[in-house]
């Protein structure tokens, strides 16, 4: 079996992955705060998780994938008020949009998807335990984690606590013992969501949510905790601190995985810059598999620059892969293992660019008629969530921006056939030229006329 090497953020090195239980690998990933439609920046972390889980399931007999939904947060409350919308309606709608987007992207769903609002009791139990153990304290209706009580605070992000606080947004409050202390529980006004607790009606802080859900579904120790690099501090640092203090005999996460951020046309994505794109914005201009390929074109720890020209190039690459499958004939993939060179590439810290390069090698052989290479290409592609269609369906697919609709094309082909039967070859040639100009290629054969988008 290939040895999986993973870059662990805490060790700050790429190291062999050694599961706590080789028979059952457990992974926790930070999911969305559901107050807005998903954008393409959200997709990078979700796709990194997708590739990770696909690989782990290839290597190990059982994998449990937990990804949470944060459905109580001050951003949610503010957005609902701005919309004049009930909080429950907002979170239900945006959660459905998130699920629909990931399904459209052919993402592996989590085995367990806990919601914060369904785990308030678990959060309160952790907070009470932290208070009892001397790691948290009550102050003016709040409960705060005492950072000074945890000697290795900052070990995950690799900086000392003073530097961390100086470089981050921290809430300055007179009731804090230390500026870096963070909220576990806070009081709610009548207009804010709240739950009865030993410390008064209130709501949880963000960080305690993931610790409680990870503990409930994966235990005191699990294998991998993942998310975007923007979560490294303070969210993951604080999760680690409160979890290890609450359960000192556990490891919490044994490995930490963080993907780098996504740029759009070389700049940070921002509504003010006009480069803020939702998933539907992108899928209006290119197919899902092209977007998946583009997002995998850089290794997950490298900054990825999304461009429309890059999406076009990714689509051309997918054209090549599908052309290879078409040329070699329908591949027989029954019982076929994932190609070793391709698997080795993914085992090298999810090196998707190297894996894609291996697919190009297979495509070259398949284009020369090698059916074994075509079968290997199909298996490799499917492991990355690609090559899920028949070639004919891929080449007929497209978006509104790609030219005429399928119904319009079929109507023109029928008109061309009628013109040929009437020996009006001038009109038949005009129709062919018209479709060619609009990006549609006709191919006449013994079985009739077929078409593909160029």
């Amino acid at each position: 079996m290939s040895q999986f090497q993973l870059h662990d953020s805490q060790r700050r090195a790429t190291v062999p992955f050694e599961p706590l239980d080789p028979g059952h690998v457990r992974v926790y990933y930070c999911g969305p705060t559901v107050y807005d439609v998903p954008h393409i920046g959200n997709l990078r972390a979700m796709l990194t998780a997708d590739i990770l889980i696909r690989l782990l399931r290839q290597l190990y007999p059982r994998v449990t994938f937990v990804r949470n939904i944060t459905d109580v947060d001050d951003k949610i409350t503010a957005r609902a008020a701005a919309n004049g919308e009930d909080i429950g309606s907002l979170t239900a709608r945006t959660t459905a949009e998130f699920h629909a987007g990931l399904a459209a992207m052919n993402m592996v769903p989590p085995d367990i998807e806990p919601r914060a609002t369904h785990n308030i009791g678990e959060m309160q139990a952790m907070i009470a335990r932290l208070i009892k153990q001397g790691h948290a304290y009550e102050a003016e209706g709040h409960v705060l984690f005492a950072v000074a009580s945890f000697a290795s605070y900052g070990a995950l992000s690799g900086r000392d606590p003073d530097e961390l606080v100086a470089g981050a947004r921290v809430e300055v409050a007179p009731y804090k013992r230390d500026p870096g202390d963070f909220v576990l529980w806070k009081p709610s006004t009548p207009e804010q969501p709240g739950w009865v607790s030993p410390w008064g009606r209130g709501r949880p802080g963000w960080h305690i949510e993931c610790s409680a859900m990870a503990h409930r579904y994966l235990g005191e120790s699990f294998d991998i905790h993942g998310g975007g690099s923007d979560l490294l501090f303070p969210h993951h640092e604080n999760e680690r601190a409160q979890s290890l203090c609450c359960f000192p005999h556990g490891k919490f996460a044994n490995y930490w995985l963080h993907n780098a951020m996504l740029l759009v046309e070389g700049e940070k994505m921002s509504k003010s810059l006009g480069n803020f794109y939702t998933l539907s914005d992108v899928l209006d201009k290119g197919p899902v598999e092209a977007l998946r390929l583009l997002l995998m074109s850089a290794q997950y720890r490298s900054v990825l620059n999304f461009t429309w020209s890059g999406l076009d190039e990714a689509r051309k690459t997918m054209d090549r892969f599908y052309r290879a499958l078409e040329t070699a004939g329908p591949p027989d993939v029954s019982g076929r293992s994932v190609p070793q060179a391709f698997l080795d590439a993914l085992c090298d810290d999810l090196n998707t660019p190297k894996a894609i390069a291996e697919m190009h090698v297979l495509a070259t052989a398949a284009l020369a008629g090698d059916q074994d290479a075509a079968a290997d290409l199909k298996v490799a592609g499917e492991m990355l969530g690609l090559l899920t269609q028949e070639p004919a369906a891929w080449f007929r697919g497209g978006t509104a921006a790609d030219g005429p609709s399928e119904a319009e094309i079929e109507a023109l082909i029928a008109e061309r056939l009628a013109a040929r039967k009437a020996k009006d070859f001038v009109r038949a040639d005009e129709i062919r030229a018209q479709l060619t100009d609009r990006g549609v290629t006709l191919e006449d054969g013994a079985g009739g006329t077929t078409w593909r988008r160029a």
Side-chain angles (χ1 to χ4, degrees):
M1 184 174 72
S2 300
Q3 173 62 62
F4 180 26
Q5 303 276 334
L6 182 67
H7 187 88
D8 178 31
S9 299
Q10 183 166 330
R11 296 177 179 89
R12 285 169 282 286
T14 302
V15 296
F17 173 68
E18 297 176 356
L20 297 172
D21 175 3
H24 183 195
V25 176
R26 289 163 292 161
V27 178
Y28 186 93
Y29 239 82
C30 283
T33 299
V34 284
Y35 69 100
D36 205 350
V37 294
H39 56 74
I40 58 173
N42 303 138
L43 290 179
R44 192 163 198 209
M46 297 300 99
L47 184 60
T48 301
D50 181 77
I51 300 304
L52 172 67
I53 297 301
R54 288 172 184 267
L55 176 60
L56 290 173
R57 287 181 175 158
Q58 181 67 35
L59 300 177
Y60 298 98
R62 183 183 175 197
V63 176
T64 295
F65 172 30
V66 179
R67 185 187 66 215
N68 73 292
I69 294 285
T70 294
D71 58 352
V72 53
D73 185 90
D74 290 351
K75 290 179 181 178
I76 296 172
T77 305
R79 180 61 59 86
N83 291 353
E85 185 176 10
D86 175 77
I87 288 175
S89 298
L90 172 63
T91 58
R93 175 171 55 79
T94 51
T95 298
E97 289 168 343
F98 173 74
H99 286 154
L102 265 58
M105 283 291 292
N106 191 24
M107 300 278 193
V108 174
D111 299 295
I112 304 169
E113 190 177 56
R115 296 175 183 243
T117 54
H118 296 177
N119 290 271
I120 300 297
E122 285 72 21
M123 298 172 204
Q124 292 182 354
M126 281 194 73
I127 293 168
R129 185 166 177 156
L130 287 167
I131 293 172
K132 183 177 180 180
Q133 293 171 335
H135 293 293
Y137 58 94
E138 297 179 63
E140 297 185 21
H142 295 73
V143 181
L144 297 109
F145 181 86
V147 167
S149 72
F150 183 52
S152 71
Y153 189 83
L156 175 59
S157 48
R159 296 160 61 187
D160 68 53
D162 290 339
E163 289 177 330
L164 288 169
V165 171
R169 296 178 183 175
V170 297
E171 182 185 358
V172 178
Y175 49 78
K176 286 187 176 185
R177 295 178 185 171
D178 184 282
D181 292 352
F182 57 88
V183 171
L184 301 173
W185 190 262
K186 51 190 172 183
S188 294
T189 66
E191 295 77 26
Q192 293 172 320
W195 290 262
V196 174
S197 82
W199 318 288
R201 181 180 179 276
R203 62 201 190 280
W206 177 32
H207 313 301
I208 195 67
E209 295 180 4
C210 283
S211 284
M213 289 183 280
H215 177 259
R216 177 176 181 179
Y217 294 102
L218 296 176
E220 295 183 10
S221 304
F222 57 93
D223 293 290
I224 301 172
H225 194 319
S229 59
D230 57 322
L231 300 179
L232 182 58
F233 183 86
H235 186 48
H236 288 168
E237 190 75 66
N238 291 351
E239 274 190 66
R240 174 181 176 271
Q242 63 202 8
S243 294
L244 291 178
C245 287
C246 196
F247 305 107
H249 300 296
K251 293 177 176 287
F252 191 47
N254 205 26
Y255 296 83
W256 291 85
L257 183 153
H258 292 94
N259 63 275
M261 293 295 98
L262 178 85
L263 300 178
V264 176
E265 302 287 354
E267 296 183 289
K268 184 176 179 180
M269 189 166 60
S270 166
K271 290 182 178 178
S272 64
L273 294 175
N275 65 353
F276 184 94
Y277 301 126
T278 66
L279 175 59
S280 60
D281 291 334
V282 177
L283 296 186
D284 280 343
K285 296 187 178 181
V288 164
E289 292 190 14
L291 177 56
R292 280 187 70 99
L293 186 72
L294 173 58
L295 294 175
M296 290 186 283
S297 63
Q299 201 261 2
Y300 75 95
R301 289 191 295 113
S302 300
V303 173
L304 174 67
N305 186 30
F306 174 91
T307 64
W308 294 115
S309 61
L311 185 64
D312 288 340
E313 287 302 314
R315 181 171 187 164
K316 290 175 184 176
T317 297
M318 291 306 306
D319 285 346
R320 182 175 191 265
F321 290 159
Y322 274 107
R323 181 76 71 186
L325 296 182
E326 183 182 59
T327 300
D332 180 8
V333 299
S334 57
R336 185 171 290 267
S337 299
V338 176
Q340 191 62 48
F342 172 85
L343 187 61
D344 288 343
L346 288 181
C347 284
D348 180 16
D349 193 25
L350 305 181
N351 193 333
T352 48
K354 188 175 179 182
I356 293 166
E358 293 296 335
M359 290 178 65
H360 276 290
V361 172
L362 295 170
T364 297
L367 285 164
D370 187 333
Q371 290 189 327
D372 283 337
D376 282 346
L377 175 63
K378 175 76 169 174
V379 171
E382 288 183 344
M383 189 172 170
L384 293 181
L386 305 173
L387 299 179
T388 61
Q389 306 176 45
E390 293 299 319
W394 168 264
F395 286 116
R396 287 191 175 203
T399 66
D402 292 320
S405 68
E406 185 170 339
E408 186 179 355
I409 294 167
E410 295 291 354
L412 286 168
I413 289 174
E415 182 185 345
R416 178 173 176 266
L417 177 61
R420 292 177 69 181
K421 285 182 177 179
K423 301 187 183 303
D424 185 356
F425 298 113
V426 172
R427 177 57 184 154
D429 289 345
E430 286 176 350
I431 292 171
R432 176 187 283 276
Q434 177 185 346
L435 287 170
T436 299
D437 289 345
R438 299 179 70 185
V440 177
T441 300
L442 300 185
E443 295 177 354
D444 295 319
T449 301
T450 59
W451 62 272
R452 69 178 71 239
R453 297 191 190 274

